[in-house]
Amino acid sequence: MITILGIESSCDDTAAAVIRDGILLSNVVSSQKVHESYGGVVPELASRAHQQNIIPVVHEALKLAGVDKDELSAIAFTRGPGLMGSLLVGTSFAKGFSTALQIPLVDVNHLHAHILAHFIKAEGEDKKFPAFPFLCLLVSGGNSQIVLVKSYKEMEIIGQTIDDAAGEAFDKCAKVMGLGYPGGPIVDKLAKEGDPSKFKFNKPHIQGYDYSFSGLKTSFLYLLRDEVKKNPNFIEENKKDLCASLQQTIIEVLMDKLYKAAKDLKIKDVAVAGGVSANSGLRQAFEDYRLRYGWNIYIPKFGYTTDNAAMVAISGYYKYLDNDFCSIDAAPYARLTV
Ligand code: KG4
């Protein structure tokens, strides 16, 4: 029996989860509310909140799983990328706990973990896993990548953003409309009642599978600036259509390149992961592509779109099976792509 405790603390969610023989037993996330009034994550506050949360969150995850700490086979933790102060809390805790329990440590790449979230399975759940090699569109606040996933540990980025990430485009455009933070979910909600064809924004023309979202952001900004000059109530009166048109454009940009990659590589298994994969329009686009192009699509449950430790625990589980452990002096890293 292999029982893995996963710990995630890369940004503003303190999370712990337990996976036994590939089956999820518990998944606890404590999201930090302290950042809301600042309109973004404040790194120093995040690391302090992690310090307060980590012990209760791990305790709760073990309790909910019905697992005693002495039954753990290994501790998996997010080593990076993320905020250094936040990563240090999870990393230090994992090291201390594994030393005390005299069990191995497994370091996990946060971006790999988002992708491997597709392999999380609960007891009795009937779930089809993607078949290797598959493509994963990894879209979050910090990344927009097309990843060719060859195995649990072999992943190749074949396309990525050359400037802003998709989540950033949602958040920054939401900010100029005076919507709250993070803007993505608010735009998603308002877009449901808007007309996606009302406004047209610039789309990037970039070779290969890379993305760019800064031109779209500028085009959005200029439209607002010009229209608000003529009508000061423009944003308020057109909020829903603006959100629907913005969302539609972001989705078209994401899907066009993903389609091109899938076609060129002759891959039918296509997944989506990361915070932006919660977007209802993007989820619908995947469904449309499934019907139109015969894709086998993999869309994560909402709880696995945002940061969580179940994805860290499942990544740790596969590394454990591979005897892929890390040493006690493994330092966290703030930056690294897949
Ligand atoms: O992966 P994630 O939780 O963490 C970071 O990379 O920071 O992604 C957060 C991003 C934010 O930009 C947020 O606005 C976006 O995911 N997001 C969404 C939705 N839910 C979260 N974007 C569009 N529609 C959503 N429903």
Side-chain angles (χ1 to χ4, degrees), residues 312-325:
V312 178
I314 196 72
S315 305
Y317 172 70
Y318 287 113
K319 284 189 96 173
Y320 184 96
L321 292 182
D322 220 19
N323 284 319
D324 189 353
F325 304 119

Side-chain angles (χ1 to χ4, degrees), residues 12 24 128 163:
D12 60 339
L24 182 69
K128 196 166 169 276
D163 42 54

Side-chain angles (χ1 to χ4, degrees), residues 11 114 139-142 167-168 170-171 182-185 188 274-276 278-280 305-307:
C11 189
H114 268 300
V139 270
S140 66
E168 250 174 307
F170 272 109
D171 295 342
D188 189 357
V276 181
N279 185 268
S280 58
T305 60
T306 47
D307 291 345

Side-chain angles (χ1 to χ4, degrees), residues 255-291:
M255 296 308 286
D256 283 355
K257 289 289 171 91
L258 186 61
Y259 172 70
K260 183 172 156 50
K263 192 165 159 251
D264 292 351
L265 299 171
K266 298 186 176 53
I267 288 179
K268 291 273 183 198
D269 278 33
V270 188
V272 61
V276 181
S277 68
N279 185 268
S280 58
L282 184 59
R283 287 171 168 249
Q284 184 56 49
F286 263 73
E287 184 57 28
D288 295 344
Y289 276 61
R290 180 183 76 79
L291 294 171

